[in-house]
Amino acid sequence: MGSDDWRSCSDNEDYLQDGNEDDDEEDCYSSGFLSKLQFRKDISKARWVDDLAMAEVVEKKGKMWVTMGIVRNGNTYCSIEETLFLIEIGALHVLDGNDIHLSLKELYEKLSNGKSGCYWELFEVYKHLRSLGYVVGRHGIPWSVKGQQIKSGTCSLEGSQESNEMLEMEPKDENSVIELFNNMQITDVSPAFNVYLPNSKFRKSSPGDPSFVLYISRCSPPSRVEIEALERKHGAIPFKFCHVENGRVSFFSLAKTELPVLP
């Protein structure tokens, strides 16, 4: 591999391509900056399920459900980041098991306890992409699986299962390299979201390949070993990196260049 040309952009730069501006179901997310606790006439309702660390939707209103929530056994469930996002834009009310309304502060506390497979920086990334109009789903979690029940822990963002699958695909003499990547993936670079361009024809039952897979880089940029492993894993599907610092969301992509041999 030649030199890695790091290109970064953040906030509203045109690195993230603009989608179809006529997509009605995404119009409410296109402002770029969302004020908390907006008020709407039609508000959906959900019930928080502690064992799943998700919200089960009990009353749907609005078009956003075409691109939000996963479907299991006919029921729709929202991850913690989807739940918080919808509450902040005033599109969802969440109740506990006793039908008591949960405040935004209480949901923030559930995010901070680490049981949901999400954390604050990840939520900021999700909110940023959704506010730009992108369709965003957790990586490795199917939108819809017919007849499959949702289980506790299915929305974990840890990459151990994916790493094991990658290990099985690699030649045995490269196991040590992939094991190194496997160990680093959890602590430094981890897959977070499948990201799709705004699309009025999007269907959870057949979403197709994502426009790119987004990885969260928590510390230093990914190493060459990590990048090459990801290239083998994803094939033709692009992948990008994201870093959050002091509330600023930055995205990175890579390009290969051939350096001339100097005399």
PDB file of all heavy atoms in Angstrom, residues 100-131:
ATOM      1  N   ILE A 100     -45.289   5.174  33.028  1.00  0.00           N
ATOM      2  CA  ILE A 100     -44.878   6.501  33.491  1.00  0.00           C
ATOM      3  C   ILE A 100     -43.939   7.103  32.452  1.00  0.00           C
ATOM      4  O   ILE A 100     -43.013   6.433  31.967  1.00  0.00           O
ATOM      5  CB  ILE A 100     -44.177   6.421  34.860  1.00  0.00           C
ATOM      6  CG1 ILE A 100     -45.145   5.880  35.914  1.00  0.00           C
ATOM      7  CG2 ILE A 100     -43.651   7.794  35.275  1.00  0.00           C
ATOM      8  CD1 ILE A 100     -44.511   5.659  37.267  1.00  0.00           C
ATOM      9  N   HIS A 101     -44.181   8.356  32.111  1.00  0.00           N
ATOM     10  CA  HIS A 101     -43.397   9.023  31.082  1.00  0.00           C
ATOM     11  C   HIS A 101     -41.937   9.163  31.512  1.00  0.00           C
ATOM     12  O   HIS A 101     -41.640   9.597  32.633  1.00  0.00           O
ATOM     13  CB  HIS A 101     -43.987  10.407  30.792  1.00  0.00           C
ATOM     14  CG  HIS A 101     -43.227  11.183  29.769  1.00  0.00           C
ATOM     15  ND1 HIS A 101     -42.288  12.132  30.090  1.00  0.00           N
ATOM     16  CD2 HIS A 101     -43.263  11.132  28.410  1.00  0.00           C
ATOM     17  CE1 HIS A 101     -41.784  12.647  28.988  1.00  0.00           C
ATOM     18  NE2 HIS A 101     -42.359  12.066  27.952  1.00  0.00           N
ATOM     19  N   LEU A 102     -41.020   8.770  30.636  1.00  0.00           N
ATOM     20  CA  LEU A 102     -39.591   8.916  30.902  1.00  0.00           C
ATOM     21  C   LEU A 102     -39.102  10.237  30.332  1.00  0.00           C
ATOM     22  O   LEU A 102     -39.374  10.568  29.172  1.00  0.00           O
ATOM     23  CB  LEU A 102     -38.805   7.761  30.264  1.00  0.00           C
ATOM     24  CG  LEU A 102     -38.994   6.373  30.884  1.00  0.00           C
ATOM     25  CD1 LEU A 102     -38.257   5.316  30.081  1.00  0.00           C
ATOM     26  CD2 LEU A 102     -38.517   6.352  32.332  1.00  0.00           C
ATOM     27  N   SER A 103     -38.383  10.980  31.138  1.00  0.00           N
ATOM     28  CA  SER A 103     -37.860  12.269  30.691  1.00  0.00           C
ATOM     29  C   SER A 103     -36.620  12.073  29.834  1.00  0.00           C
ATOM     30  O   SER A 103     -36.002  10.998  29.818  1.00  0.00           O
ATOM     31  CB  SER A 103     -37.524  13.148  31.898  1.00  0.00           C
ATOM     32  OG  SER A 103     -36.428  12.592  32.620  1.00  0.00           O
ATOM     33  N   LEU A 104     -36.249  13.125  29.131  1.00  0.00           N
ATOM     34  CA  LEU A 104     -35.031  13.076  28.326  1.00  0.00           C
ATOM     35  C   LEU A 104     -33.814  12.836  29.209  1.00  0.00           C
ATOM     36  O   LEU A 104     -32.899  12.087  28.836  1.00  0.00           O
ATOM     37  CB  LEU A 104     -34.883  14.396  27.553  1.00  0.00           C
ATOM     38  CG  LEU A 104     -33.754  14.480  26.524  1.00  0.00           C
ATOM     39  CD1 LEU A 104     -33.904  13.406  25.460  1.00  0.00           C
ATOM     40  CD2 LEU A 104     -33.721  15.859  25.877  1.00  0.00           C
ATOM     41  N   LYS A 105     -33.803  13.425  30.394  1.00  0.00           N
ATOM     42  CA  LYS A 105     -32.688  13.228  31.323  1.00  0.00           C
ATOM     43  C   LYS A 105     -32.554  11.763  31.715  1.00  0.00           C
ATOM     44  O   LYS A 105     -31.436  11.225  31.780  1.00  0.00           O
ATOM     45  CB  LYS A 105     -32.892  14.089  32.577  1.00  0.00           C
ATOM     46  CG  LYS A 105     -31.801  13.924  33.616  1.00  0.00           C
ATOM     47  CD  LYS A 105     -32.080  14.772  34.847  1.00  0.00           C
ATOM     48  CE  LYS A 105     -31.005  14.553  35.904  1.00  0.00           C
ATOM     49  NZ  LYS A 105     -31.262  15.358  37.127  1.00  0.00           N
ATOM     50  N   GLU A 106     -33.670  11.095  31.957  1.00  0.00           N
ATOM     51  CA  GLU A 106     -33.625   9.683  32.338  1.00  0.00           C
ATOM     52  C   GLU A 106     -33.099   8.823  31.189  1.00  0.00           C
ATOM     53  O   GLU A 106     -32.379   7.846  31.416  1.00  0.00           O
ATOM     54  CB  GLU A 106     -35.022   9.217  32.746  1.00  0.00           C
ATOM     55  CG  GLU A 106     -35.501   9.795  34.070  1.00  0.00           C
ATOM     56  CD  GLU A 106     -36.935   9.448  34.383  1.00  0.00           C
ATOM     57  OE1 GLU A 106     -37.808   9.744  33.535  1.00  0.00           O
ATOM     58  OE2 GLU A 106     -37.196   8.866  35.464  1.00  0.00           O
ATOM     59  N   LEU A 107     -33.434   9.191  29.950  1.00  0.00           N
ATOM     60  CA  LEU A 107     -32.922   8.453  28.799  1.00  0.00           C
ATOM     61  C   LEU A 107     -31.429   8.705  28.606  1.00  0.00           C
ATOM     62  O   LEU A 107     -30.673   7.803  28.232  1.00  0.00           O
ATOM     63  CB  LEU A 107     -33.686   8.830  27.534  1.00  0.00           C
ATOM     64  CG  LEU A 107     -34.898   7.969  27.165  1.00  0.00           C
ATOM     65  CD1 LEU A 107     -34.502   6.516  26.913  1.00  0.00           C
ATOM     66  CD2 LEU A 107     -35.972   8.028  28.235  1.00  0.00           C
ATOM     67  N   TYR A 108     -30.983   9.932  28.885  1.00  0.00           N
ATOM     68  CA  TYR A 108     -29.546  10.220  28.832  1.00  0.00           C
ATOM     69  C   TYR A 108     -28.790   9.354  29.845  1.00  0.00           C
ATOM     70  O   TYR A 108     -27.683   8.873  29.576  1.00  0.00           O
ATOM     71  CB  TYR A 108     -29.284  11.698  29.128  1.00  0.00           C
ATOM     72  CG  TYR A 108     -29.597  12.643  27.998  1.00  0.00           C
ATOM     73  CD1 TYR A 108     -30.037  13.936  28.268  1.00  0.00           C
ATOM     74  CD2 TYR A 108     -29.449  12.260  26.663  1.00  0.00           C
ATOM     75  CE1 TYR A 108     -30.332  14.823  27.232  1.00  0.00           C
ATOM     76  CE2 TYR A 108     -29.741  13.133  25.632  1.00  0.00           C
ATOM     77  CZ  TYR A 108     -30.185  14.410  25.923  1.00  0.00           C
ATOM     78  OH  TYR A 108     -30.474  15.280  24.910  1.00  0.00           O
ATOM     79  N   GLU A 109     -29.382   9.158  31.012  1.00  0.00           N
ATOM     80  CA  GLU A 109     -28.754   8.324  32.036  1.00  0.00           C
ATOM     81  C   GLU A 109     -28.650   6.878  31.573  1.00  0.00           C
ATOM     82  O   GLU A 109     -27.667   6.186  31.862  1.00  0.00           O
ATOM     83  CB  GLU A 109     -29.539   8.425  33.338  1.00  0.00           C
ATOM     84  CG  GLU A 109     -29.439   9.788  34.012  1.00  0.00           C
ATOM     85  CD  GLU A 109     -30.351   9.919  35.218  1.00  0.00           C
ATOM     86  OE1 GLU A 109     -31.174   9.004  35.437  1.00  0.00           O
ATOM     87  OE2 GLU A 109     -30.236  10.937  35.936  1.00  0.00           O
ATOM     88  N   LYS A 110     -29.656   6.413  30.841  1.00  0.00           N
ATOM     89  CA  LYS A 110     -29.603   5.047  30.314  1.00  0.00           C
ATOM     90  C   LYS A 110     -28.502   4.926  29.267  1.00  0.00           C
ATOM     91  O   LYS A 110     -27.866   3.879  29.128  1.00  0.00           O
ATOM     92  CB  LYS A 110     -30.955   4.659  29.710  1.00  0.00           C
ATOM     93  CG  LYS A 110     -32.064   4.520  30.748  1.00  0.00           C
ATOM     94  CD  LYS A 110     -33.368   4.074  30.117  1.00  0.00           C
ATOM     95  CE  LYS A 110     -34.482   3.986  31.162  1.00  0.00           C
ATOM     96  NZ  LYS A 110     -34.210   2.961  32.188  1.00  0.00           N
ATOM     97  N   LEU A 111     -28.273   5.998  28.531  1.00  0.00           N
ATOM     98  CA  LEU A 111     -27.173   6.003  27.570  1.00  0.00           C
ATOM     99  C   LEU A 111     -25.830   5.923  28.275  1.00  0.00           C
ATOM    100  O   LEU A 111     -24.915   5.215  27.837  1.00  0.00           O
ATOM    101  CB  LEU A 111     -27.251   7.266  26.711  1.00  0.00           C
ATOM    102  CG  LEU A 111     -26.108   7.492  25.717  1.00  0.00           C
ATOM    103  CD1 LEU A 111     -26.117   6.435  24.624  1.00  0.00           C
ATOM    104  CD2 LEU A 111     -26.217   8.884  25.091  1.00  0.00           C
ATOM    105  N   SER A 112     -25.704   6.638  29.394  1.00  0.00           N
ATOM    106  CA  SER A 112     -24.424   6.724  30.092  1.00  0.00           C
ATOM    107  C   SER A 112     -24.074   5.468  30.881  1.00  0.00           C
ATOM    108  O   SER A 112     -22.910   5.263  31.229  1.00  0.00           O
ATOM    109  CB  SER A 112     -24.424   7.930  31.032  1.00  0.00           C
ATOM    110  OG  SER A 112     -25.388   7.769  32.058  1.00  0.00           O
ATOM    111  N   ASN A 113     -25.064   4.600  31.161  1.00  0.00           N
ATOM    112  CA  ASN A 113     -24.748   3.424  31.971  1.00  0.00           C
ATOM    113  C   ASN A 113     -24.046   2.313  31.185  1.00  0.00           C
ATOM    114  O   ASN A 113     -23.604   1.325  31.770  1.00  0.00           O
ATOM    115  CB  ASN A 113     -26.006   2.876  32.660  1.00  0.00           C
ATOM    116  CG  ASN A 113     -27.041   2.327  31.673  1.00  0.00           C
ATOM    117  OD1 ASN A 113     -26.737   1.937  30.553  1.00  0.00           O
ATOM    118  ND2 ASN A 113     -28.299   2.302  32.113  1.00  0.00           N
ATOM    119  N   GLY A 114     -23.951   2.466  29.865  1.00  0.00           N
ATOM    120  CA  GLY A 114     -23.176   1.526  29.058  1.00  0.00           C
ATOM    121  C   GLY A 114     -23.856   0.218  28.738  1.00  0.00           C
ATOM    122  O   GLY A 114     -23.255  -0.651  28.113  1.00  0.00           O
ATOM    123  N   LYS A 115     -25.123   0.032  29.112  1.00  0.00           N
ATOM    124  CA  LYS A 115     -25.807  -1.242  28.885  1.00  0.00           C
ATOM    125  C   LYS A 115     -26.471  -1.330  27.508  1.00  0.00           C
ATOM    126  O   LYS A 115     -26.946  -2.388  27.121  1.00  0.00           O
ATOM    127  CB  LYS A 115     -26.868  -1.460  29.971  1.00  0.00           C
ATOM    128  CG  LYS A 115     -26.297  -1.588  31.373  1.00  0.00           C
ATOM    129  CD  LYS A 115     -27.402  -1.801  32.400  1.00  0.00           C
ATOM    130  CE  LYS A 115     -26.830  -1.925  33.806  1.00  0.00           C
ATOM    131  NZ  LYS A 115     -27.909  -2.133  34.821  1.00  0.00           N
ATOM    132  N   SER A 116     -26.518  -0.229  26.789  1.00  0.00           N
ATOM    133  CA  SER A 116     -27.241  -0.191  25.518  1.00  0.00           C
ATOM    134  C   SER A 116     -26.361  -0.475  24.304  1.00  0.00           C
ATOM    135  O   SER A 116     -26.840  -0.485  23.185  1.00  0.00           O
ATOM    136  CB  SER A 116     -27.903   1.179  25.343  1.00  0.00           C
ATOM    137  OG  SER A 116     -26.912   2.193  25.297  1.00  0.00           O
ATOM    138  N   GLY A 117     -25.066  -0.684  24.521  1.00  0.00           N
ATOM    139  CA  GLY A 117     -24.158  -0.860  23.394  1.00  0.00           C
ATOM    140  C   GLY A 117     -23.858   0.441  22.683  1.00  0.00           C
ATOM    141  O   GLY A 117     -23.401   0.451  21.547  1.00  0.00           O
ATOM    142  N   CYS A 118     -24.134   1.549  23.343  1.00  0.00           N
ATOM    143  CA  CYS A 118     -23.912   2.865  22.746  1.00  0.00           C
ATOM    144  C   CYS A 118     -23.273   3.769  23.792  1.00  0.00           C
ATOM    145  O   CYS A 118     -23.298   3.471  24.985  1.00  0.00           O
ATOM    146  CB  CYS A 118     -25.244   3.438  22.246  1.00  0.00           C
ATOM    147  SG  CYS A 118     -25.107   4.949  21.261  1.00  0.00           S
ATOM    148  N   TYR A 119     -22.724   4.881  23.351  1.00  0.00           N
ATOM    149  CA  TYR A 119     -22.143   5.864  24.262  1.00  0.00           C
ATOM    150  C   TYR A 119     -22.347   7.241  23.643  1.00  0.00           C
ATOM    151  O   TYR A 119     -22.827   7.376  22.505  1.00  0.00           O
ATOM    152  CB  TYR A 119     -20.661   5.579  24.524  1.00  0.00           C
ATOM    153  CG  TYR A 119     -19.830   5.316  23.295  1.00  0.00           C
ATOM    154  CD1 TYR A 119     -19.142   6.334  22.654  1.00  0.00           C
ATOM    155  CD2 TYR A 119     -19.735   4.020  22.768  1.00  0.00           C
ATOM    156  CE1 TYR A 119     -18.390   6.099  21.523  1.00  0.00           C
ATOM    157  CE2 TYR A 119     -18.982   3.772  21.638  1.00  0.00           C
ATOM    158  CZ  TYR A 119     -18.317   4.811  21.024  1.00  0.00           C
ATOM    159  OH  TYR A 119     -17.578   4.567  19.887  1.00  0.00           O
ATOM    160  N   TRP A 120     -22.016   8.280  24.392  1.00  0.00           N
ATOM    161  CA  TRP A 120     -22.409   9.629  24.009  1.00  0.00           C
ATOM    162  C   TRP A 120     -21.854  10.037  22.644  1.00  0.00           C
ATOM    163  O   TRP A 120     -22.564  10.607  21.808  1.00  0.00           O
ATOM    164  CB  TRP A 120     -21.959  10.635  25.071  1.00  0.00           C
ATOM    165  CG  TRP A 120     -22.393  12.028  24.737  1.00  0.00           C
ATOM    166  CD1 TRP A 120     -21.633  13.047  24.249  1.00  0.00           C
ATOM    167  CD2 TRP A 120     -23.735  12.543  24.821  1.00  0.00           C
ATOM    168  NE1 TRP A 120     -22.397  14.166  24.045  1.00  0.00           N
ATOM    169  CE2 TRP A 120     -23.688  13.887  24.373  1.00  0.00           C
ATOM    170  CE3 TRP A 120     -24.954  12.001  25.232  1.00  0.00           C
ATOM    171  CZ2 TRP A 120     -24.818  14.690  24.323  1.00  0.00           C
ATOM    172  CZ3 TRP A 120     -26.088  12.802  25.182  1.00  0.00           C
ATOM    173  CH2 TRP A 120     -26.007  14.137  24.728  1.00  0.00           C
ATOM    174  N   GLU A 121     -20.557   9.758  22.396  1.00  0.00           N
ATOM    175  CA  GLU A 121     -19.961  10.164  21.126  1.00  0.00           C
ATOM    176  C   GLU A 121     -20.655   9.478  19.948  1.00  0.00           C
ATOM    177  O   GLU A 121     -20.855  10.080  18.880  1.00  0.00           O
ATOM    178  CB  GLU A 121     -18.466   9.845  21.103  1.00  0.00           C
ATOM    179  CG  GLU A 121     -17.612  10.709  22.013  1.00  0.00           C
ATOM    180  CD  GLU A 121     -17.692  10.295  23.468  1.00  0.00           C
ATOM    181  OE1 GLU A 121     -18.285   9.219  23.755  1.00  0.00           O
ATOM    182  OE2 GLU A 121     -17.162  11.019  24.330  1.00  0.00           O
ATOM    183  N   LEU A 122     -21.034   8.229  20.151  1.00  0.00           N
ATOM    184  CA  LEU A 122     -21.721   7.499  19.088  1.00  0.00           C
ATOM    185  C   LEU A 122     -23.086   8.113  18.805  1.00  0.00           C
ATOM    186  O   LEU A 122     -23.513   8.210  17.647  1.00  0.00           O
ATOM    187  CB  LEU A 122     -21.867   6.032  19.490  1.00  0.00           C
ATOM    188  CG  LEU A 122     -21.972   5.019  18.347  1.00  0.00           C
ATOM    189  CD1 LEU A 122     -20.713   5.016  17.513  1.00  0.00           C
ATOM    190  CD2 LEU A 122     -22.251   3.642  18.884  1.00  0.00           C
ATOM    191  N   PHE A 123     -23.767   8.521  19.848  1.00  0.00           N
ATOM    192  CA  PHE A 123     -25.055   9.190  19.666  1.00  0.00           C
ATOM    193  C   PHE A 123     -24.883  10.492  18.894  1.00  0.00           C
ATOM    194  O   PHE A 123     -25.695  10.833  18.027  1.00  0.00           O
ATOM    195  CB  PHE A 123     -25.707   9.457  21.025  1.00  0.00           C
ATOM    196  CG  PHE A 123     -26.905  10.367  20.953  1.00  0.00           C
ATOM    197  CD1 PHE A 123     -28.013  10.026  20.183  1.00  0.00           C
ATOM    198  CD2 PHE A 123     -26.922  11.573  21.645  1.00  0.00           C
ATOM    199  CE1 PHE A 123     -29.116  10.876  20.111  1.00  0.00           C
ATOM    200  CE2 PHE A 123     -28.014  12.417  21.576  1.00  0.00           C
ATOM    201  CZ  PHE A 123     -29.118  12.072  20.800  1.00  0.00           C
ATOM    202  N   GLU A 124     -23.817  11.241  19.185  1.00  0.00           N
ATOM    203  CA  GLU A 124     -23.573  12.481  18.464  1.00  0.00           C
ATOM    204  C   GLU A 124     -23.368  12.226  16.980  1.00  0.00           C
ATOM    205  O   GLU A 124     -23.837  12.999  16.134  1.00  0.00           O
ATOM    206  CB  GLU A 124     -22.358  13.205  19.052  1.00  0.00           C
ATOM    207  CG  GLU A 124     -22.595  13.810  20.427  1.00  0.00           C
ATOM    208  CD  GLU A 124     -21.412  14.621  20.903  1.00  0.00           C
ATOM    209  OE1 GLU A 124     -20.285  14.103  20.828  1.00  0.00           O
ATOM    210  OE2 GLU A 124     -21.608  15.763  21.340  1.00  0.00           O
ATOM    211  N   VAL A 125     -22.661  11.144  16.655  1.00  0.00           N
ATOM    212  CA  VAL A 125     -22.449  10.785  15.251  1.00  0.00           C
ATOM    213  C   VAL A 125     -23.780  10.441  14.590  1.00  0.00           C
ATOM    214  O   VAL A 125     -24.082  10.897  13.480  1.00  0.00           O
ATOM    215  CB  VAL A 125     -21.475   9.598  15.131  1.00  0.00           C
ATOM    216  CG1 VAL A 125     -21.384   9.110  13.686  1.00  0.00           C
ATOM    217  CG2 VAL A 125     -20.094   9.990  15.643  1.00  0.00           C
ATOM    218  N   TYR A 126     -24.572   9.616  15.269  1.00  0.00           N
ATOM    219  CA  TYR A 126     -25.869   9.228  14.725  1.00  0.00           C
ATOM    220  C   TYR A 126     -26.741  10.459  14.477  1.00  0.00           C
ATOM    221  O   TYR A 126     -27.328  10.615  13.399  1.00  0.00           O
ATOM    222  CB  TYR A 126     -26.567   8.265  15.684  1.00  0.00           C
ATOM    223  CG  TYR A 126     -27.957   7.886  15.233  1.00  0.00           C
ATOM    224  CD1 TYR A 126     -28.140   6.818  14.351  1.00  0.00           C
ATOM    225  CD2 TYR A 126     -29.081   8.594  15.655  1.00  0.00           C
ATOM    226  CE1 TYR A 126     -29.411   6.481  13.909  1.00  0.00           C
ATOM    227  CE2 TYR A 126     -30.347   8.257  15.221  1.00  0.00           C
ATOM    228  CZ  TYR A 126     -30.509   7.200  14.349  1.00  0.00           C
ATOM    229  OH  TYR A 126     -31.759   6.870  13.903  1.00  0.00           O
ATOM    230  N   LYS A 127     -26.828  11.338  15.461  1.00  0.00           N
ATOM    231  CA  LYS A 127     -27.669  12.524  15.349  1.00  0.00           C
ATOM    232  C   LYS A 127     -27.190  13.415  14.209  1.00  0.00           C
ATOM    233  O   LYS A 127     -28.013  13.991  13.467  1.00  0.00           O
ATOM    234  CB  LYS A 127     -27.677  13.289  16.670  1.00  0.00           C
ATOM    235  CG  LYS A 127     -28.563  14.527  16.651  1.00  0.00           C
ATOM    236  CD  LYS A 127     -28.790  15.096  18.037  1.00  0.00           C
ATOM    237  CE  LYS A 127     -27.529  15.623  18.668  1.00  0.00           C
ATOM    238  NZ  LYS A 127     -27.808  16.348  19.939  1.00  0.00           N
ATOM    239  N   HIS A 128     -25.887  13.546  14.065  1.00  0.00           N
ATOM    240  CA  HIS A 128     -25.332  14.379  13.000  1.00  0.00           C
ATOM    241  C   HIS A 128     -25.731  13.840  11.626  1.00  0.00           C
ATOM    242  O   HIS A 128     -26.190  14.597  10.758  1.00  0.00           O
ATOM    243  CB  HIS A 128     -23.805  14.418  13.129  1.00  0.00           C
ATOM    244  CG  HIS A 128     -23.130  15.273  12.098  1.00  0.00           C
ATOM    245  ND1 HIS A 128     -23.060  16.643  12.189  1.00  0.00           N
ATOM    246  CD2 HIS A 128     -22.518  14.943  10.937  1.00  0.00           C
ATOM    247  CE1 HIS A 128     -22.418  17.124  11.143  1.00  0.00           C
ATOM    248  NE2 HIS A 128     -22.076  16.112  10.367  1.00  0.00           N
ATOM    249  N   LEU A 129     -25.579  12.531  11.421  1.00  0.00           N
ATOM    250  CA  LEU A 129     -25.913  11.940  10.123  1.00  0.00           C
ATOM    251  C   LEU A 129     -27.412  12.009   9.842  1.00  0.00           C
ATOM    252  O   LEU A 129     -27.833  12.330   8.727  1.00  0.00           O
ATOM    253  CB  LEU A 129     -25.431  10.484  10.072  1.00  0.00           C
ATOM    254  CG  LEU A 129     -23.916  10.301  10.008  1.00  0.00           C
ATOM    255  CD1 LEU A 129     -23.556   8.830  10.209  1.00  0.00           C
ATOM    256  CD2 LEU A 129     -23.366  10.796   8.663  1.00  0.00           C
ATOM    257  N   ARG A 130     -28.232  11.721  10.846  1.00  0.00           N
ATOM    258  CA  ARG A 130     -29.677  11.776  10.641  1.00  0.00           C
ATOM    259  C   ARG A 130     -30.138  13.206  10.355  1.00  0.00           C
ATOM    260  O   ARG A 130     -31.038  13.432   9.548  1.00  0.00           O
ATOM    261  CB  ARG A 130     -30.410  11.243  11.869  1.00  0.00           C
ATOM    262  CG  ARG A 130     -30.341   9.758  12.088  1.00  0.00           C
ATOM    263  CD  ARG A 130     -31.013   8.924  11.035  1.00  0.00           C
ATOM    264  NE  ARG A 130     -32.381   9.302  10.744  1.00  0.00           N
ATOM    265  CZ  ARG A 130     -33.260   8.496  10.136  1.00  0.00           C
ATOM    266  NH1 ARG A 130     -32.884   7.274   9.769  1.00  0.00           N
ATOM    267  NH2 ARG A 130     -34.483   8.898   9.877  1.00  0.00           N
ATOM    268  N   SER A 131     -29.517  14.182  11.006  1.00  0.00           N
ATOM    269  CA  SER A 131     -29.908  15.567  10.784  1.00  0.00           C
ATOM    270  C   SER A 131     -29.568  16.030   9.374  1.00  0.00           C
ATOM    271  O   SER A 131     -30.180  16.970   8.857  1.00  0.00           O
ATOM    272  CB  SER A 131     -29.235  16.487  11.806  1.00  0.00           C
ATOM    273  OG  SER A 131     -27.841  16.578  11.572  1.00  0.00           O
TER     274      SER A 131
END
